[in-house]
């Protein structure tokens, strides 16, 4: 909610609206046991170097384009995307959109071609997830509350940046952070909470 409310100030409330909708449904990517290699390759088509949040946005935008052209079920099969999950995300998005209109929160979009796009997205995400930041530590990361974690293998991040924002913790035999976004130290400096951390 905080992220959505503040996203208009960062000129990306439409993009954050989409991302929030996709975070509230099961995984959009299908990974059948007998086609994992193809599923992983298909997922990389949508990958953004900033991480998984913008990758979800890319999936949604491509889905919408395919929907307009017809043959959406085939598109979902070809790209290993769950049609049912996308329909749920669209319904949630419509509900949230109406709520934003009711509370006079402007729905503003910034093109992904804009040089400031990633900065806007990062600032909006930090507005809602500032307590869910992890700092590079050894082979993994350490959360702000001191937990040692690893990045979940499902991420599309091509590198291991010094700082990550994450959506959830996954506990198995190890503790993972899943759905991550690369963050620069100068963005974290804007939050007084991080004044004791090294940037």
């Amino acid at each position: 909610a905080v992220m959505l409310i503040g996203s208009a100030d960062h000129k990306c409330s439409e993009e954050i609206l989409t991302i929030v909708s996709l975070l509230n449904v099961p995984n959009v990517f299908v990974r059948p046991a007998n086609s994992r290699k193809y599923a992983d390759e298909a997922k990389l088509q949508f990958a953004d170097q900033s991480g998984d949040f913008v990758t979800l946005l890319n999936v949604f935008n491509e889905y919408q384009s395919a929907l307009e052209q017809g043959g959406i079920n085939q598109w979902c099969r070809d790209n290993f995307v769950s049609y049912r999950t996308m329909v749920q995300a669209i319904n949630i998005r419509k509900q949230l959109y109406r709520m934003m209109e009711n509370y006079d929160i402007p729905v503003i979009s910034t093109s992904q071609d804009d040089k400031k796009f990633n900065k806007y997205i990062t600032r909006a995400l930090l507005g809602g997830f500032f307590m869910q930041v992890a700092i590079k530590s050894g082979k993994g990361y350490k959360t702000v509350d001191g937990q040692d974690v690893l990045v979940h293998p499902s991420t599309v991040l091509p590198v291991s940046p010094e700082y990550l924002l994450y959506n959830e913790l996954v506990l198995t035999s190890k503790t993972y952070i899943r759905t991550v976004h690369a963050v620069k130290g100068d963005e974290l400096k804007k939050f007084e909470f991080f004044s004791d951390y090294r940037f």
Side-chain angles (χ1 to χ4, degrees), residues 43-54:
K43 182 178 180 179
L44 289 176
Q45 295 178 95
F46 305 105
D48 186 87
Q49 290 195 341
S50 68
D52 304 307
F53 289 87
V54 179

Side-chain angles (χ1 to χ4, degrees), residues 181-198:
H181 181 82
V183 180
K184 294 180 180 177
D186 60 348
E187 293 296 336
L188 294 175
K189 286 179 183 177
K190 298 178 181 8
F191 290 87
E192 186 178 343
F193 178 84
F194 293 106
S195 59
D196 294 332
Y197 289 87
R198 54 179 175 81

Side-chain angles (χ1 to χ4, degrees), residues 3 6-7 10-12 15-16 19 48-51 53-54 115-130 133 163-166 180-191:
M3 186 166 63
S7 60
H10 303 296
K11 304 176 184 177
C12 60
E15 288 76 18
I16 293 298
I19 290 169
D48 186 87
Q49 290 195 341
S50 68
F53 289 87
V54 179
K115 291 181 180 179
K116 293 185 178 179
F117 174 81
N118 192 57
K119 182 180 285 188
Y120 292 155
I121 291 289
T122 299
R123 289 179 179 177
L125 290 173
L126 279 170
F129 288 122
F130 72 94
V133 170
Y163 306 100
L164 283 178
L165 174 152
Y166 62 92
V180 297
H181 181 82
V183 180
K184 294 180 180 177
D186 60 348
E187 293 296 336
L188 294 175
K189 286 179 183 177
K190 298 178 181 8
F191 290 87

